[in-house]
């Protein structure tokens, strides 16, 4: 049970769910009629190969969580003493061994998958992700906003990597426009994931300001103060709302069901979060906001199912 908590199994399940939604809900939902012929998205991976992609992603992410906890023991002793695992339930040495095991398995699976589909160059993606997670834990998280941005980019990349493996190898002259259009839709989802994750990272830094200060981290709330950091998160939330409204008006105004879904499950909660960010003062309030942002992320990704239903 402690191992499951260490690798953040709930977060890993969310990553797996999103990747499954992309392949089995988002991709089948888009088609295009050209000269009387209906063209559908062409994907490259078999079910087994797609399972390898998910497992590789999850193993590398699990390794990232472990190495981050190893280097966060001092801060976690203050921020979440009751949830700290490294140094208590699991020794630091065992933690390193688990980190190496998960990361090596993830990278090896990525290498095998890349060669299996005839795209050996894609292997570099897994190496870069694993390297960035290690560099983040050991160095980048101590730099103002850089660590937050890197983690947010990696979350977005966990979506884009599905498109890289599924769409790009299957591009032909006949389906090139359709494949590119789907990749653009997937990229839009990745941007949404990036922004929501960045907001949540700042909120979590506000929660953890005491322990991070003792660990000599240069997080946003430490550098500019908790109140100003909360206002930055507030501003980013307003930006996310404005971006979503623009996207709905510009591209989805004909899809009333999708518009209503986003208004109720994504935009309305973001408005509530923005209000709470403007007024929040206590750690418990920021913890609630962090959980709400995770729910917004989930509801945003579940919109892929709506596309499939109304197809």
């Amino acid at each position: 049970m402690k191992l499951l908590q260490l690798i953040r199994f709930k977060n890993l399940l969310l990553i797996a769910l999103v990747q499954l939604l992309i392949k089995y809900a988002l991709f089948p939902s888009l088609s295009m009629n050209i000269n009387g012929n209906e063209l559908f998205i062409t994907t490259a991976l078999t079910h087994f190969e797609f399972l390898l992609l998910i497992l590789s992603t999850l193993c590398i992410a699990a390794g990232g969580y472990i190495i981050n906890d190893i280097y966060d023991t001092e801060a976690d002793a203050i921020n979440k003493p009751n949830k700290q695992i490294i140094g208590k339930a699991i020794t630091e040495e065992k933690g390193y061994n688990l980190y190496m095991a998960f990361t090596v398995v993830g990278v090896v699976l990525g290498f095998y998958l890349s060669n299996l589909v005839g795209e050996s160059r894609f292997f570099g993606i897994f190496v870069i992700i694993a390297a960035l997670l290690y560099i983040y834990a050991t160095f980048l998280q101590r730099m103002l906003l850089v660590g937050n941005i890197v983690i947010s980019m990696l979350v977005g990349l966990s979506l884009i990597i599905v498109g890289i493996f599924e769409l790009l190898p299957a591009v032909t002259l006949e389906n090139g426009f359709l494949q590119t259009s789907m990749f653009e839709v997937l990229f839009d989802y990745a941007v949404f994931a990036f922004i929501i994750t960045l907001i949540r990272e700042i909120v979590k830094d506000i929660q953890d300001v005491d322990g991070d200060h003792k660990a000599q981290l240069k997080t946003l709330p430490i550098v500019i103060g908790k109140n100003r950091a909360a206002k930055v998160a507030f501003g980013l939330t307003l930006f996310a709302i404005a971006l979503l409204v623009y996207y709905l008006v510009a591209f989805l105004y004909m899809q009333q069901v999708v518009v209503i879904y986003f208004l109720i499950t994504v935009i309305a909660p973001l408005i509530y979060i923005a209000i709470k960010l403007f007024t929040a003062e206590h750690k418990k309030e920021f913890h609630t906001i962090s959980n709400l942002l995770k729910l917004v992320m989930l509801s945003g990704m579940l919109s892929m199912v709506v596309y499939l239903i109304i197809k």
Side-chain angles (χ1 to χ4, degrees), residues 2-158:
K2 291 298 182 182
L3 176 60
L4 292 178
Q5 293 175 4
L6 180 64
I7 64 175
R8 313 293 201 279
F9 77 98
K10 292 180 180 178
N11 291 353
L12 297 183
L13 288 176
L14 179 58
I15 293 172
L17 173 63
V18 172
Q19 291 185 330
L20 286 167
L21 287 173
I22 292 170
K23 180 174 176 66
Y24 296 109
L26 183 63
F27 287 168
S29 69
L30 183 62
S31 62
M32 189 172 295
N33 193 292
I34 299 179
N35 298 325
N37 297 318
E38 190 171 13
L39 297 180
F40 294 89
I41 293 297
T42 304
T43 55
L45 300 183
T46 64
H47 298 307
F48 173 71
E49 290 165 348
F50 186 66
L51 176 62
L52 291 179
L53 177 62
I54 292 177
L55 290 175
S56 176
T57 305
L58 297 187
C59 284
I60 293 174
Y65 284 126
I66 294 171
I67 195 66
N68 189 62
D69 275 9
I70 291 172
Y71 281 89
D72 270 359
T73 51
E74 185 179 2
D76 288 344
I78 296 174
N79 294 328
K80 44 185 179 181
N82 297 327
K83 295 182 178 181
Q84 186 178 358
I85 297 174
I86 296 294
K88 290 187 175 181
I90 296 176
T91 65
E92 189 171 311
E93 181 182 0
K94 187 176 180 181
Y96 271 113
N97 291 335
L98 288 169
Y99 159 71
M100 288 299 299
F102 276 108
T103 302
V104 169
V105 169
V107 172
V108 168
L109 286 175
F111 175 78
Y112 175 67
L113 174 64
S114 300
N115 286 275
L116 190 63
V117 299
E119 296 287 353
S120 57
R121 55 188 174 146
F122 289 172
F123 167 60
I125 299 172
F126 300 98
V127 177
I128 291 171
I129 293 173
L132 280 175
L133 286 170
Y134 181 82
I135 295 171
Y136 166 79
T138 58
F139 178 66
L140 292 180
Q141 69 169 321
R142 298 180 180 275
M143 299 175 64
L144 179 64
L145 279 180
V146 174
N148 301 132
I149 293 172
V150 168
I151 289 298
S152 303
M153 289 176 60
L154 289 174
V155 171
L157 186 56
S158 69

